[in-house]
Amino acid sequence: MQFAILGPVEARRSDGTPVALGGPQLRGLLALLALDAGRVISADRLIDGLHGDHPPDGAADALQSQVSRLRRRLRDGGAPDGLVEFTPAGYRLAVDPENVDVHRFDRLVTQARDTPDPATRLDLLDRALALWRGPALDGLADPPTAARLAELRLAATEDRVDAALALGDHDRLVAELRALTAEHPLRERLAAQLMRALHGSGRSAEALTVFAEVRERLAEELGADPSADLTDAHAAVLRAAPARRVPVPLTGFVGRVELDRLTAALRDARLVTLTGPGGAGKTRLAVEAAVRERGDVCFAELAATTEVAHAVLAALGLREQGVLAPGAPPDPVERLAAGLADRSVLLVLDNCEHVVAETARLVRRLLGACPGLRVLATSREALGLTGETLVPVGALSAEAAERLFTERAAAVALGAVPDPAAVTRICAALDGLPLAIELAAARLRSLSADDVAARLGDRFGLLSRGDRSAEPRHRTLRGVVEWSWDLLDPAERRLAGRFAGFAGGARLDAVERVCEVSGDVLTGLVEKSFVEFDGARYRMLETIRAFCAEQGDDCRAAHAKYFLDIAREAEPKLRGADQLTALAELTAEHADLHAALRWSAEHEPELALRLVAALTWYWWLRGLRSEATPFADAVLAAIGAEPPPGLAEEYVLCVIHASATDVEIEPILRTLHRLRYPYLFLLWAFSPRAKAKEGERLAGLIGDDAWSRAFARIGDGLGAQYQGRIAEAETHFSEALQGFRELGDRWGAASALEKLAEFADWRGDHARFRELMDESVRLAGELSAFEDAADLLCRRADGVLRAGDPDAARADYEAAAEQARAAGTPVTLARARGGLGEIARRAGDLAAARRWYAAAVGLAVDPVTGGETRIRLHTGFGWTAAAEGHLDEATELHQEALATALEHANLPGAAQAVEGLAGVLAGRAEDDRAAFLLGVAVGLRGAPVTGDPDVAAVTAQVRARIGADAYAEAFARGREMPPEQALSEFGQRRFALGS
């Protein structure tokens, strides 16, 4: 008979059917006996377990009666007599503990914890946890024991999560851990596991948010600091550079003597280049070296690109810019230099030969700017840089070549054992080149090794009478590919030639449409090793692709039209619930979209114009807008100064992307009746100057669909905020948020949430501010917009600091600084350092504050994206100087902040600077003017900021000296001044200089 107490208490017959046990008292008694199955339990312990500390009178007699009834119930169920034994010491359930689920659970968990292999451990824990059918004991008896068992179940669940994390199962675990942490909000191990799962899924910003939330909860509810486990998880996220992005080899590695030389070279040199002919195995050797690296590695494939810096940005997972506000994209090389400046990374640049000059320039710049960077390049020629270590890659040794052939042959011809002598002849004829050997081995599907050897001999005899000046190994490689080509049937050759037009591989539907062929022919190419299949996409090795491109039909027009359709189909999905899926789909086709742009810019510029427009929002959300510039330049050069009929909007977008143009877009905009693409409206919404110039015109062009209506509210909200109409602005942003949430658009929702949080912060509604900011950070993380997530962490820290929690603010600023360093965004790093300076200043450590501000100012130099941060830094620096008694320096710093705010038409920034100038005037005892400026600041912003200690201190100081009535009168005069008049007068620096 089996007994189960991990859920409803049951006794089961050997056939699994349950025994009728009666009421809760009998089931509780059985549960207590089963907990110690095989051992004697005293009557007192049973009574305590059934009744607690206050048993009723006659409990001992009642226990005897209950035991008798339990025996009868078990006997009626088929149990043998004596299953519940009585001894002078108490009662015993006379069964093997393995017949009780709780003891099997204990055994399985113990085995799992003693097992080093995570897969075995996971299996054992799954089996253990499957025994649970609900809460232990089902609430019948002994609440302390039930609580202890629940803790054991939770600990086993955590063990199981650790095993799954060790196996890399991050994505699936996130939802499970979200539910568990919601159920156990103070369970630090679960929180640490959720952080690791999020980080492993590429959602580091969310992981940092989890840490901040748990730390705050621990402090509020327990008055405790985070545990070492939670702190370690936090530190691991902060330290993390980009994940290891190394291709996963489809086959095993056959040892090469060059690997030891390469490993030694990478240990001693910062630039190592593997050189050798195509097919020599440079890429496979580089992959093997990268896999064996202990540190961070990033693998950038350059074969399908002419834009090296962009390819490396993509490989590193670095975006050029954020997506929550537009700005001119930085130079991609400088973006890389910033992103790698503080990292220790091995950067593998594969297949550099066709872009060797550009690669050399990039590598020289990065190695000079990034002391922790090492570069491993593969190329048919050296990069030619000082300090470059060359590792030539030649033929495999005879032994290694034969082993490679035999292993690959075994994979394609199961059970066949090739003649060793024939294998030796084949490998010798192929000069030990790995690609040639693999191609020859693939022929063993239909030929014997002797036949392969004979045919190779004939072919290379013919080839040897060709170009004797060519590299012998290159002749041999080309001969092998050509020989393999000759073995294809006509349909396979046609497909191979057309397939070579795909720059980044293709899905089956793309092959069938572009190449006009069925999947059966493609299967033949896979079987003959001309094409690889990874389960989702088909790809060609570059050497084979280059050969096939020479032989095939030119299907680039069909290729370009297909990828225009792909871009057009995905474009509206980027503005709704399918946003992440559409981004992933376009990212997978990135190389071919660019290939289509390159071809169409030269041959069909109107198609290229449409493709630029269709991809603009994708480039924006991916933070890669500068990728469009070379294509836009080429398209405009081909089309000229006038848009083609019906393509005016596409033409304007191309002009905006171009590096330089004399084309005036305003006359073209006046010809439009409705915008089909959102990017023009984005520029209008986020640019006060654009709003003033073309705002009404563009506002009339926006569509009437749900997304356009929601986005229009963003523009209206920004316009109202810029003019100080905060209540109106908040209404607009709330409507925008509702619309974007209904659509499932993360970008729009994050944008609206950030502004609503700002207003809540000004009102002093700290709970609402935190709720809104947390959601905005989460959505930015889902978009992989880590630059924006870092900036949002700074914004959240600002509000948390105003709410009086400097420790939580410091954690956010530090996390933002780490993310900004990893992402290479100096402006955000400057803002984070400025925030740390603000914490130091408010703590009275003015020397530390000055150091933080000084370290930050030099980073916020970008004229477009750095404006708001420079305002913050100069005002913070100004308050520090004023506190030190350096009022002239404080005046200049606040004036600098004001000038920047006026330049960017940033009224809230101007208000911040004006409040700083009011502090300077109060320090000079010019109290009436100080009160007046405080009023001007509120008028400029449109609302006061609750909880600003600097403004509160100045207000209290001035009111105490001149009295409440005089203060109120001067403040009201300032608040009533029209913003236009205030800005005009401040533009002349009249208030601050005392004129």
Side-chain angles (χ1 to χ4, degrees):
M1 185 166 283
Q2 300 290 319
F3 299 91
I5 64 174
L6 301 180
V9 176
E10 294 179 351
R12 303 189 190 111
R13 302 178 181 89
S14 57
D15 61 1
T17 57
V19 174
L21 292 174
Q25 285 290 312
L26 291 187
R27 285 185 284 127
L29 173 60
L30 177 60
L32 293 173
L33 291 168
L35 276 168
D36 282 297
R39 292 186 292 178
V40 175
I41 309 174
S42 70
D44 289 341
R45 278 184 57 198
L46 290 173
I47 291 170
D48 290 343
L50 290 170
H51 303 290
D53 294 333
H54 304 288
D57 293 337
D61 294 335
L63 176 61
Q64 291 181 7
S65 174
Q66 290 163 359
V67 169
S68 297
R69 284 188 287 139
L70 177 61
R71 286 172 175 157
R72 186 166 58 252
R73 291 278 185 176
L74 293 174
R75 188 169 54 251
D76 292 345
D81 289 336
L83 195 63
V84 180
E85 294 180 348
F86 172 74
T87 74
Y91 297 91
R92 181 174 82 100
L93 184 63
V95 297
D96 186 334
E98 274 293 302
N99 290 352
V100 182
D101 58 359
V102 68
H103 299 294
R104 293 199 301 278
F105 170 79
D106 283 339
R107 177 180 56 77
L108 288 167
V109 170
T110 300
Q111 282 183 256
R113 289 171 179 165
D114 292 339
T115 301
D117 176 54
T120 305
R121 191 161 64 249
L122 182 63
D123 176 65
L124 289 167
L125 289 166
D126 280 337
R127 288 160 54 194
L129 290 166
L131 295 171
W132 287 75
R133 297 160 294 110
L137 307 181
D138 200 19
L140 293 176
D142 201 358
T145 299
R148 178 180 64 81
L149 292 173
E151 171 63 25
L152 292 176
R153 181 187 190 183
L154 184 55
T157 301
E158 291 169 331
D159 288 346
R160 181 194 168 280
V161 169
D162 276 339
L165 286 171
L167 294 170
D169 196 7
H170 299 106
D171 290 321
R172 190 185 60 79
L173 287 170
V174 169
E176 177 184 344
L177 285 165
R178 289 276 193 203
L180 286 169
T181 53
E183 186 179 353
H184 305 281
L186 297 176
R187 188 82 172 188
E188 293 181 75
R189 186 180 177 190
L190 286 174
Q193 290 173 330
L194 175 57
M195 290 177 64
R196 295 185 178 103
L198 287 167
H199 179 52
S201 303
R203 298 153 69 179
S204 300
E206 291 181 63
L208 294 170
T209 300
V210 169
F211 177 78
E213 291 172 347
V214 174
R215 180 180 57 188
E216 182 177 351
R217 194 178 300 121
L218 289 169
E220 289 180 354
E221 299 188 27
L222 302 180
D225 293 326
S227 66
D229 187 33
L230 193 57
T231 302
D232 288 346
H234 180 236
V237 177
L238 292 180
R239 288 194 304 267
R244 295 172 64 90
R245 297 177 173 89
V246 180
V248 178
L250 298 178
T251 57
F253 179 73
V254 174
R256 302 191 61 149
V257 295
E258 293 96 335
L259 183 57
D260 291 336
R261 293 204 297 269
L262 176 56
T263 302
L266 287 172
R267 187 171 55 246
D268 299 332
R270 296 185 62 208
L271 171 60
V272 179
T273 302
L274 291 171
T275 60
K282 300 184 297 295
T283 296
R284 187 65 181 86
L285 188 58
V287 168
E288 190 65 23
V291 168
R292 298 185 182 197
E293 274 285 313
R294 293 186 178 181
D296 292 319
V297 181
C298 181
F299 195 100
E301 169 57 69
L302 305 184
T305 187
T306 58
E307 299 137 11
V308 176
H310 288 117
V312 178
L313 277 172
L316 282 163
L318 293 179
R319 303 155 59 97
E320 292 168 3
Q321 61 191 117
V323 301
L324 298 187
D331 176 78
V333 176
E334 297 308 311
R335 180 77 174 82
L336 281 170
L340 293 169
D342 296 324
R343 297 189 189 177
S344 295
V345 181
L346 173 63
L347 176 61
V348 183
L349 303 177
D350 191 35
N351 289 309
C352 302
E353 47 274 342
H354 67 298
V355 284
V356 68
E358 183 180 354
T359 302
R361 288 191 294 271
L362 175 65
V363 170
R364 180 168 53 241
R365 173 72 179 92
L366 294 181
L367 289 177
C370 311
L373 177 67
R374 292 174 298 145
V375 175
L376 170 59
T378 75
S379 177
R380 297 186 187 182
E381 60 179 298
L383 301 187
L385 296 178
T386 302
E388 180 180 21
T389 296
L390 300 180
V391 178
V393 181
L396 290 170
S397 67
E399 179 185 356
E402 291 169 20
R403 186 165 69 253
L404 175 62
F405 184 94
T406 302
E407 288 182 4
R408 299 300 185 263
V412 300
L414 298 178
V417 180
D419 177 46
V423 172
T424 299
R425 293 200 306 276
I426 293 168
C427 294
L430 298 180
D431 285 351
L433 283 178
L435 177 59
I437 290 170
E438 293 193 5
L439 284 171
R443 301 281 70 79
L444 264 67
R445 289 190 183 94
S446 55
L447 299 173
S448 70
D450 285 328
D451 289 336
V452 171
R455 293 184 182 220
L456 284 174
D458 292 342
R459 175 52 56 93
F460 294 136
L462 175 63
L463 286 175
S464 67
R465 295 192 293 272
D467 182 3
R468 296 183 184 275
S469 65
E471 172 71 20
R473 292 189 181 90
H474 187 264
R475 293 205 312 270
T476 302
L477 173 66
R478 181 175 181 82
V480 169
V481 178
E482 188 171 355
W483 168 70
S484 297
W485 170 271
D486 289 342
L487 292 178
L488 302 178
D489 64 38
E492 290 170 338
R493 289 184 200 171
R494 182 173 180 270
L495 174 55
R498 290 194 154 211
F499 188 95
F502 289 101
R507 300 190 311 266
L508 178 60
D509 59 335
V511 177
E512 291 179 334
R513 177 172 160 186
V514 172
C515 302
E516 298 177 344
V517 71
S518 72
D520 293 339
V521 183
L522 183 59
T523 300
L525 290 182
V526 173
E527 291 176 349
K528 295 176 181 178
S529 296
F530 260 73
V531 172
E532 293 181 343
F533 181 56
D534 63 7
R537 296 176 72 83
Y538 296 87
R539 301 180 187 276
M540 270 185 176
L541 293 175
E542 278 305 307
T543 301
I544 296 176
R545 180 170 169 255
F547 176 89
C548 293
E550 298 174 1
Q551 319 299 319
D553 300 335
D554 188 347
C555 61
R556 286 177 292 179
H559 177 276
K561 290 174 183 175
Y562 173 81
F563 282 99
L564 173 60
D565 290 345
I566 289 289
R568 281 177 160 175
E569 182 181 348
E571 198 272 341
K573 296 178 182 177
L574 295 171
R575 300 189 295 277
D578 295 329
Q579 195 170 56
L580 298 184
T581 301
L583 280 170
E585 290 173 351
L586 289 174
T587 298
E589 307 294 354
H590 189 274
D592 280 284
L593 289 165
H594 281 207
L597 273 168
R598 279 192 293 273
W599 180 86
S600 58
E602 181 178 355
H603 297 91
E604 291 192 31
E606 290 190 14
L607 189 154
L609 201 62
R610 292 183 172 93
L611 192 48
V612 167
L615 289 175
T616 292
W617 199 242
Y618 162 71
W619 282 321
W620 169 250
L621 289 178
R622 275 287 179 247
L624 300 172
R625 186 158 63 93
S626 73
E627 284 193 353
T629 300
F631 304 120
D633 289 343
V635 171
L636 292 177
I639 288 178
E642 295 292 331
L647 296 177
E649 184 178 353
E650 288 85 347
Y651 186 82
V652 169
L653 287 169
C654 210
V655 170
I656 291 171
H657 285 305
S659 56
T661 177
D662 296 329
V663 175
E664 291 290 330
I665 65 173
E666 285 81 2
I668 302 174
L669 289 173
R670 295 190 186 99
T671 69
L672 300 177
H673 300 290
R674 185 70 68 193
L675 292 178
R676 299 190 305 279
Y677 300 100
Y679 192 71
L680 285 176
F681 206 72
L682 172 77
L683 296 180
W684 166 76
F686 281 95
S687 171
R689 299 191 186 283
K691 287 170 73 70
K693 192 171 184 179
E694 283 291 332
E696 292 185 7
R697 174 66 189 153
L698 285 173
L701 297 177
I702 195 161
D704 193 39
D705 59 285
W707 191 93
S708 298
R709 291 195 300 271
F711 189 83
R713 300 285 74 77
I714 290 278
D716 293 339
L718 289 168
Q721 182 183 0
Y722 292 147
Q723 298 172 32
R725 304 194 306 272
I726 301 305
E728 179 186 339
E730 191 161 12
T731 298
H732 286 309
F733 286 120
S734 295
E735 292 175 356
L737 177 60
Q738 180 179 351
F740 284 127
R741 277 178 168 164
E742 290 174 355
L743 289 165
D745 187 302
R746 294 161 180 79
W747 173 85
S751 300
L753 284 162
E754 178 192 0
K755 303 305 296 184
L756 291 169
E758 183 177 23
F759 300 148
D761 183 29
W762 289 359
R763 287 195 304 271
D765 188 347
H766 303 306
R768 179 65 173 160
F769 164 79
R770 186 60 186 269
E771 175 188 352
L772 295 169
M773 281 303 303
D774 286 353
E775 185 177 358
S776 186
V777 170
R778 177 179 62 79
L779 292 174
E782 290 181 4
L783 284 170
S784 298
F786 297 119
E787 302 87 344
D788 296 291
D791 186 66
L792 292 171
L793 285 174
C794 287
R795 294 178 186 270
R796 187 171 71 183
D798 295 341
V800 169
L801 182 60
R802 241 188 310 276
D805 190 348
D807 290 337
R810 179 179 289 105
D812 272 351
Y813 285 133
E814 289 174 348
E818 289 294 333
Q819 287 193 45
R821 271 192 288 268
T825 48
V827 171
T828 305
L829 178 57
R831 179 162 186 173
R833 288 178 174 175
L836 294 170
E838 193 76 1
I839 292 174
R841 179 174 70 84
R842 295 191 182 188
D845 190 348
L846 300 180
R850 181 174 284 273
R851 288 194 299 272
W852 279 118
Y853 288 127
V857 166
L859 295 171
V861 295
D862 187 279
V864 177
T865 61
E868 182 182 349
T869 298
R870 287 198 301 278
I871 294 168
R872 289 175 172 272
L873 294 175
H874 284 122
T875 53
F877 218 152
W879 286 107
T880 302
E884 295 170 330
H886 306 311
L887 296 182
D888 289 341
E889 180 188 8
T891 298
E892 290 303 315
L893 287 163
H894 290 309
Q895 286 283 19
E896 185 66 31
L898 180 58
T900 302
L902 295 177
E903 178 186 353
H904 290 269
N906 184 335
L907 267 64
Q912 191 176 356
V914 169
E915 287 165 344
L917 292 170
V920 172
L921 292 175
R924 291 174 173 158
E926 297 184 43
D927 296 321
D928 183 77
R929 297 184 67 221
F932 176 79
L933 289 192
L934 290 175
V936 169
V938 172
L940 288 172
R941 187 184 288 112
V945 175
T946 302
D948 188 316
D950 297 314
V951 173
V954 172
T955 299
Q957 182 183 29
V958 170
R959 184 184 282 119
R961 287 203 293 244
I962 66 175
D965 292 342
Y967 173 85
E969 188 276 330
F971 181 91
R973 280 191 292 112
R975 181 164 190 173
E976 291 166 3
M977 175 180 280
E980 297 80 6
Q981 180 183 347
L983 291 176
S984 174
E985 298 195 15
F986 277 118
Q988 302 171 39
R989 297 194 171 198
R990 289 174 52 188
F991 288 98
L993 301 181
S995 58

